[in-house]
Amino acid sequence: MTFTLLERLPPSLEEGLEALRQAMAALPQVVVAYSGGVDSALVACLAVEQCGSAALAITGVSPALAPHLRQEAAAQARWLGIAHREIATAELADPAYSSNPVERCYACKRELHRLLAPVAAAAGDAAVLDGVNHDDLGDHRPGIRAAREHGVRSPLAEVGIDKAGVRQISRALGLPWWDKPAQPCLASRFPYGEAITAARLHQVAAAEAWLLERGWPRLRVRCQGETARIELPESELTAALEQWRDGSRRRQLVEAFQALGFTAVAVDLEGLVSGKLNRGLAPLRPPQPADGC
Protein backbone atom coordinates (compact mmCIF):
# COMPACT_ATOMS: atom_id res chain seq x y z
CA MET A 1 0.00 0.00 0.00
CA THR A 2 1.30 3.43 -0.92
CA PHE A 3 -0.25 6.76 -0.05
CA THR A 4 0.41 8.99 -3.04
CA LEU A 5 0.91 12.71 -2.66
CA LEU A 6 -2.11 14.55 -4.03
CA GLU A 7 -0.43 17.94 -3.86
CA ARG A 8 3.09 19.31 -3.72
CA LEU A 9 4.81 19.82 -0.41
CA PRO A 10 7.53 22.34 0.42
CA PRO A 11 10.97 20.76 -0.02
CA SER A 12 11.57 20.59 3.74
CA LEU A 13 8.37 18.60 4.27
CA GLU A 14 9.07 16.34 1.30
CA GLU A 15 12.42 15.56 2.88
CA GLY A 16 10.76 15.00 6.24
CA LEU A 17 8.18 12.66 4.72
CA GLU A 18 10.90 10.69 2.97
CA ALA A 19 12.86 10.44 6.23
CA LEU A 20 9.75 9.13 8.00
CA ARG A 21 9.19 6.53 5.32
CA GLN A 22 12.79 5.36 5.48
CA ALA A 23 12.61 5.14 9.27
CA MET A 24 9.44 3.02 9.12
CA ALA A 25 10.83 0.77 6.38
CA ALA A 26 13.83 -0.04 8.58
CA LEU A 27 11.59 -1.44 11.34
CA PRO A 28 10.56 -5.10 11.00
CA GLN A 29 7.65 -4.79 13.45
CA VAL A 30 5.81 -1.68 14.66
CA VAL A 31 3.29 -0.93 17.40
CA VAL A 32 1.79 2.57 17.23
CA ALA A 33 0.40 4.19 20.37
CA TYR A 34 -2.62 5.44 18.49
CA SER A 35 -5.19 7.88 19.86
CA GLY A 36 -6.81 8.73 16.53
CA GLY A 37 -5.50 12.29 16.64
CA VAL A 38 -3.94 13.75 13.52
CA ASP A 39 -0.39 13.10 14.78
CA SER A 40 -0.64 9.44 15.71
CA ALA A 41 -2.85 8.83 12.67
CA LEU A 42 -0.06 10.05 10.37
CA VAL A 43 2.41 7.74 12.12
CA ALA A 44 -0.06 4.86 11.74
CA CYS A 45 -0.56 5.75 8.07
CA LEU A 46 3.14 5.58 7.27
CA ALA A 47 3.62 2.51 9.46
CA VAL A 48 1.05 0.48 7.54
CA GLU A 49 2.34 1.85 4.24
CA GLN A 50 5.89 0.71 4.95
CA CYS A 51 5.36 -2.29 7.22
CA GLY A 52 2.00 -3.68 6.08
CA SER A 53 0.75 -6.47 8.31
CA ALA A 54 3.75 -5.96 10.62
CA ALA A 55 2.17 -2.71 11.83
CA LEU A 56 -0.34 -2.64 14.68
CA ALA A 57 -2.17 0.36 16.14
CA ILE A 58 -3.19 0.24 19.80
CA THR A 59 -5.66 2.62 21.46
CA GLY A 60 -5.76 2.89 25.23
CA VAL A 61 -9.36 3.09 26.43
CA SER A 62 -10.51 4.57 29.73
CA PRO A 63 -13.14 7.08 30.88
CA ALA A 64 -10.68 9.83 29.89
CA LEU A 65 -11.23 9.02 26.20
CA ALA A 66 -14.40 10.63 24.86
CA PRO A 67 -16.70 8.00 23.28
CA HIS A 68 -16.89 9.78 19.93
CA LEU A 69 -13.09 9.92 19.73
CA ARG A 70 -12.90 6.19 20.42
CA GLN A 71 -15.28 5.60 17.52
CA GLU A 72 -13.35 7.94 15.25
CA ALA A 73 -10.06 6.21 16.04
CA ALA A 74 -11.52 2.84 15.06
CA ALA A 75 -13.04 4.23 11.86
CA GLN A 76 -9.78 5.91 10.84
CA ALA A 77 -7.82 2.70 11.44
CA ARG A 78 -10.22 0.84 9.14
CA TRP A 79 -9.80 3.54 6.51
CA LEU A 80 -6.01 3.23 6.73
CA GLY A 81 -6.14 -0.54 6.64
CA ILE A 82 -3.98 -0.96 9.73
CA ALA A 83 -4.64 -3.69 12.29
CA HIS A 84 -6.15 -2.03 15.34
CA ARG A 85 -6.70 -3.13 18.92
CA GLU A 86 -7.99 -1.49 22.05
CA ILE A 87 -6.61 -2.08 25.52
CA ALA A 88 -8.24 -0.99 28.76
CA THR A 89 -6.02 1.24 30.87
CA ALA A 90 -6.41 1.77 34.62
CA GLU A 91 -4.74 5.11 35.28
CA LEU A 92 -7.68 6.18 37.47
CA ALA A 93 -6.60 3.58 40.03
CA ASP A 94 -3.27 5.39 40.43
CA PRO A 95 -3.34 8.34 42.89
CA ALA A 96 -0.50 9.87 40.87
CA TYR A 97 -3.14 10.35 38.17
CA SER A 98 -6.48 10.64 39.97
CA SER A 99 -5.26 13.34 42.38
CA ASN A 100 -4.50 15.40 39.26
CA PRO A 101 -1.01 16.67 40.02
CA VAL A 102 1.01 18.71 37.54
CA GLU A 103 2.74 15.47 36.46
CA ARG A 104 -0.58 13.67 35.84
CA CYS A 105 0.24 12.88 32.22
CA TYR A 106 3.37 11.03 33.30
CA ALA A 107 1.25 8.54 35.28
CA CYS A 108 -1.15 8.17 32.34
CA LYS A 109 1.55 7.41 29.77
CA ARG A 110 3.40 5.18 32.21
CA GLU A 111 0.27 3.04 32.48
CA LEU A 112 -0.23 2.97 28.70
CA HIS A 113 3.35 2.01 27.92
CA ARG A 114 3.39 -0.58 30.72
CA LEU A 115 0.60 -2.31 28.83
CA LEU A 116 2.10 -1.78 25.39
CA ALA A 117 5.44 -3.34 26.33
CA PRO A 118 4.20 -6.97 26.42
CA VAL A 119 2.17 -6.39 23.24
CA ALA A 120 5.32 -5.21 21.48
CA ALA A 121 7.31 -8.14 22.86
CA ALA A 122 4.70 -10.63 21.64
CA ALA A 123 4.86 -9.00 18.20
CA GLY A 124 8.53 -9.87 17.86
CA ASP A 125 10.07 -7.08 19.93
CA ALA A 126 8.28 -4.48 17.83
CA ALA A 127 9.32 -0.85 18.02
CA VAL A 128 6.73 1.25 19.84
CA LEU A 129 6.05 4.60 18.18
CA ASP A 130 3.97 7.54 19.33
CA GLY A 131 2.65 10.72 17.72
CA VAL A 132 4.69 13.31 19.62
CA ASN A 133 5.60 16.10 17.20
CA HIS A 134 8.32 18.74 17.39
CA ASP A 135 5.99 21.38 18.90
CA ASP A 136 5.19 19.06 21.80
CA LEU A 137 8.80 19.19 22.93
CA GLY A 138 8.35 22.80 24.05
CA ASP A 139 5.10 22.27 25.95
CA HIS A 140 4.39 20.81 29.39
CA ARG A 141 4.27 17.14 28.37
CA PRO A 142 5.33 14.88 31.27
CA GLY A 143 4.09 11.90 29.26
CA ILE A 144 7.09 12.25 26.97
CA ARG A 145 9.36 11.27 29.86
CA ALA A 146 7.31 8.13 30.54
CA ALA A 147 7.49 7.18 26.87
CA ARG A 148 11.25 7.57 26.80
CA GLU A 149 11.64 5.49 29.94
CA HIS A 150 9.95 2.68 28.02
CA GLY A 151 12.06 3.14 24.90
CA VAL A 152 9.22 4.58 22.82
CA ARG A 153 10.25 6.46 19.69
CA SER A 154 8.68 9.67 18.39
CA PRO A 155 9.41 9.71 14.64
CA LEU A 156 7.68 13.04 13.96
CA ALA A 157 9.78 14.79 16.59
CA GLU A 158 12.93 12.96 15.51
CA VAL A 159 12.53 14.30 11.98
CA GLY A 160 11.57 17.78 13.23
CA ILE A 161 7.99 17.87 11.93
CA ASP A 162 5.71 20.23 13.84
CA LYS A 163 1.91 20.30 14.08
CA ALA A 164 1.48 22.46 11.00
CA GLY A 165 3.71 20.07 9.07
CA VAL A 166 1.72 17.08 10.26
CA ARG A 167 -1.48 18.66 8.95
CA GLN A 168 0.10 19.66 5.65
CA ILE A 169 1.54 16.19 5.02
CA SER A 170 -1.73 14.55 6.05
CA ARG A 171 -3.70 16.71 3.64
CA ALA A 172 -1.23 16.04 0.81
CA LEU A 173 -1.56 12.29 1.42
CA GLY A 174 -5.36 12.55 1.26
CA LEU A 175 -6.10 11.75 4.89
CA PRO A 176 -9.67 13.06 5.38
CA TRP A 177 -9.06 14.10 8.99
CA TRP A 178 -6.04 16.33 8.28
CA ASP A 179 -7.79 19.34 9.87
CA LYS A 180 -9.30 17.43 12.79
CA PRO A 181 -9.29 19.63 15.92
CA ALA A 182 -6.84 18.76 18.66
CA GLN A 183 -8.64 16.77 21.33
CA PRO A 184 -6.58 16.17 24.47
CA CYS A 185 -7.94 13.65 26.93
CA LEU A 186 -10.85 14.64 29.14
CA ALA A 187 -8.62 14.87 32.22
CA SER A 188 -7.26 18.09 30.73
CA ARG A 189 -10.60 19.77 31.51
CA PHE A 190 -9.83 19.88 35.25
CA PRO A 191 -7.50 22.36 36.99
CA TYR A 192 -4.48 20.71 38.56
CA GLY A 193 -5.29 19.58 42.09
CA GLU A 194 -8.97 18.85 41.44
CA ALA A 195 -9.54 15.12 41.83
CA ILE A 196 -10.44 13.16 38.70
CA THR A 197 -13.00 10.37 38.85
CA ALA A 198 -14.78 8.28 36.25
CA ALA A 199 -18.04 10.04 37.13
CA ARG A 200 -16.54 13.51 36.54
CA LEU A 201 -15.00 12.39 33.24
CA HIS A 202 -18.34 11.01 32.07
CA GLN A 203 -20.00 14.29 33.11
CA VAL A 204 -17.63 16.35 30.96
CA ALA A 205 -17.86 13.91 28.06
CA ALA A 206 -21.66 14.15 28.10
CA ALA A 207 -21.58 17.96 28.23
CA GLU A 208 -19.22 18.17 25.27
CA ALA A 209 -21.26 15.60 23.34
CA TRP A 210 -24.39 17.73 23.90
CA LEU A 211 -22.66 20.73 22.32
CA LEU A 212 -21.10 18.68 19.51
CA GLU A 213 -24.52 17.42 18.53
CA ARG A 214 -25.68 21.03 18.21
CA GLY A 215 -23.03 22.09 15.76
CA TRP A 216 -20.04 23.17 17.83
CA PRO A 217 -17.20 20.89 16.60
CA ARG A 218 -14.34 22.67 18.39
CA LEU A 219 -14.82 23.18 22.09
CA ARG A 220 -13.82 22.38 25.64
CA VAL A 221 -16.02 22.14 28.70
CA ARG A 222 -13.69 22.99 31.55
CA CYS A 223 -14.87 21.70 34.89
CA GLN A 224 -14.05 23.78 37.96
CA GLY A 225 -15.77 22.35 40.98
CA GLU A 226 -19.45 22.18 40.04
CA THR A 227 -19.18 24.90 37.37
CA ALA A 228 -18.94 24.16 33.64
CA ARG A 229 -17.01 26.73 31.61
CA ILE A 230 -17.55 26.46 27.87
CA GLU A 231 -14.65 27.37 25.59
CA LEU A 232 -15.32 27.92 21.89
CA PRO A 233 -12.99 29.34 19.21
CA GLU A 234 -12.86 33.13 19.38
CA SER A 235 -14.24 33.31 15.84
CA GLU A 236 -17.40 31.50 16.99
CA LEU A 237 -18.04 33.39 20.22
CA THR A 238 -20.23 36.08 18.71
CA ALA A 239 -22.52 33.51 17.08
CA ALA A 240 -22.70 31.48 20.28
CA LEU A 241 -23.51 34.46 22.49
CA GLU A 242 -26.13 35.62 20.00
CA GLN A 243 -27.71 32.18 19.98
CA TRP A 244 -27.79 31.95 23.77
CA ARG A 245 -29.30 35.42 24.11
CA ASP A 246 -32.50 33.66 23.17
CA GLY A 247 -34.09 32.73 26.47
CA SER A 248 -35.42 29.33 25.40
CA ARG A 249 -32.10 28.22 23.91
CA ARG A 250 -30.20 29.42 26.95
CA ARG A 251 -32.55 27.57 29.28
CA GLN A 252 -32.16 24.45 27.17
CA LEU A 253 -28.37 24.64 27.59
CA VAL A 254 -28.48 25.36 31.31
CA GLU A 255 -31.06 22.67 32.03
CA ALA A 256 -29.10 20.09 30.04
CA PHE A 257 -25.93 20.84 32.00
CA GLN A 258 -27.76 20.92 35.31
CA ALA A 259 -29.19 17.50 34.53
CA LEU A 260 -25.59 16.30 34.22
CA GLY A 261 -24.78 17.59 37.71
CA PHE A 262 -23.37 21.06 37.06
CA THR A 263 -24.72 23.87 39.23
CA ALA A 264 -23.54 26.74 37.02
CA VAL A 265 -22.69 27.25 33.34
CA ALA A 266 -20.40 29.95 31.96
CA VAL A 267 -18.91 30.90 28.60
CA ASP A 268 -15.21 31.80 28.55
CA LEU A 269 -14.99 35.15 26.75
CA GLU A 270 -11.34 34.61 25.87
CA GLY A 271 -12.30 31.66 23.72
CA LEU A 272 -10.72 28.27 23.21
CA VAL A 273 -7.03 28.22 24.12
CA SER A 274 -5.23 24.89 24.01
CA GLY A 275 -3.28 24.20 27.19
CA LYS A 276 -4.95 27.04 29.08
CA LEU A 277 -4.72 25.20 32.37
CA ASN A 278 -0.94 25.01 32.00
CA ARG A 279 -0.71 28.76 32.54
CA GLY A 280 1.11 29.61 35.70
CA LEU A 281 3.44 26.64 35.49
CA ALA A 282 7.13 27.47 35.64
CA PRO A 283 8.70 27.92 32.20
CA LEU A 284 10.15 24.66 30.99
CA ARG A 285 13.35 24.02 29.13
CA PRO A 286 12.21 22.13 26.02
CA PRO A 287 13.40 18.50 26.13
CA GLN A 288 15.68 17.52 23.32
CA PRO A 289 14.48 15.06 20.69
CA ALA A 290 15.88 11.56 20.56
CA ASP A 291 18.69 10.76 18.14
CA GLY A 292 17.65 10.77 14.50
CA CYS A 293 16.07 7.86 12.70
Side-chain angles (χ1 to χ4, degrees):
M1 175 187 299
T2 300
F3 291 88
T4 304
L5 283 174
L6 304 180
E7 59 185 67
R8 292 292 300 274
L9 288 168
S12 61
L13 287 182
E14 285 194 2
E15 292 171 5
L17 175 58
E18 180 58 27
L20 286 170
R21 283 172 159 159
Q22 291 179 8
M24 300 292 181
L27 300 172
Q29 302 282 338
V30 172
V31 169
V32 180
Y34 168 72
S35 67
V38 66
D39 301 313
S40 63
L42 178 58
V43 174
C45 166
L46 297 175
V48 73
E49 177 190 71
Q50 298 298 317
C51 304
S53 61
L56 172 64
I58 301 285
T59 302
V61 175
S62 78
L65 177 64
H68 75 279
L69 295 180
R70 178 180 180 180
Q71 295 168 5
E72 288 175 11
Q76 290 170 197
R78 289 193 296 271
W79 191 94
L80 291 170
I82 190 170
H84 178 229
R85 287 172 50 191
E86 296 181 340
I87 56 173
T89 59
E91 63 269 19
L92 277 170
D94 184 354
Y97 177 89
S98 60
S99 64
N100 199 13
V102 170
E103 297 289 302
R104 178 196 69 232
C105 292
Y106 173 80
C108 177
K109 295 301 183 185
R110 179 177 60 189
E111 166 70 0
L112 174 64
H113 293 304
R114 179 185 71 82
L115 296 171
L116 288 183
V119 174
D125 290 325
V128 179
L129 311 179
D130 67 17
V132 169
N133 68 60
H134 186 70
D135 287 340
D136 295 331
L137 302 179
D139 196 3
H140 178 66
R141 300 291 178 109
I144 293 175
R145 177 162 53 92
R148 288 181 175 164
E149 288 174 357
H150 283 81
V152 177
R153 292 182 59 181
S154 304
L156 299 174
E158 291 173 7
V159 173
I161 296 176
D162 60 13
K163 189 74 169 188
V166 168
R167 293 194 184 280
Q168 199 167 353
I169 292 172
S170 298
R171 184 180 65 189
L173 292 175
L175 305 187
W177 52 81
W178 67 270
D179 60 346
K180 182 177 183 178
Q183 289 284 357
C185 81
L186 294 173
S188 68
R189 311 308 196 259
F190 300 88
Y192 294 118
E194 279 201 15
I196 298 173
T197 66
R200 299 193 82 193
L201 292 167
H202 288 311
Q203 180 187 34
V204 171
E208 292 191 353
W210 191 91
L211 290 167
L212 284 166
E213 291 168 1
R214 284 156 181 81
W216 305 103
R218 297 184 60 215
L219 75 148
R220 304 279 190 276
V221 174
R222 305 287 188 188
C223 185
Q224 294 180 290
E226 297 180 343
T227 297
R229 191 179 80 242
I230 300 169
E231 290 184 17
L232 296 168
E234 187 176 2
S235 61
E236 299 176 13
L237 274 176
T238 299
L241 293 172
E242 184 65 27
Q243 180 180 126
W244 293 326
R245 281 181 60 190
D246 178 87
S248 62
R249 287 187 170 186
R250 189 170 63 253
R251 282 192 298 274
Q252 184 183 35
L253 168 65
V254 171
E255 289 171 2
F257 276 49
Q258 287 177 337
L260 294 173
F262 292 107
T263 60
V265 184
V267 177
D268 191 322
L269 297 182
E270 183 185 17
L272 173 58
V273 177
S274 182
K276 183 176 290 188
L277 296 183
N278 286 338
R279 290 174 175 171
L281 298 180
L284 300 172
R285 178 181 180 272
Q288 299 303 304
D291 292 338
C293 299

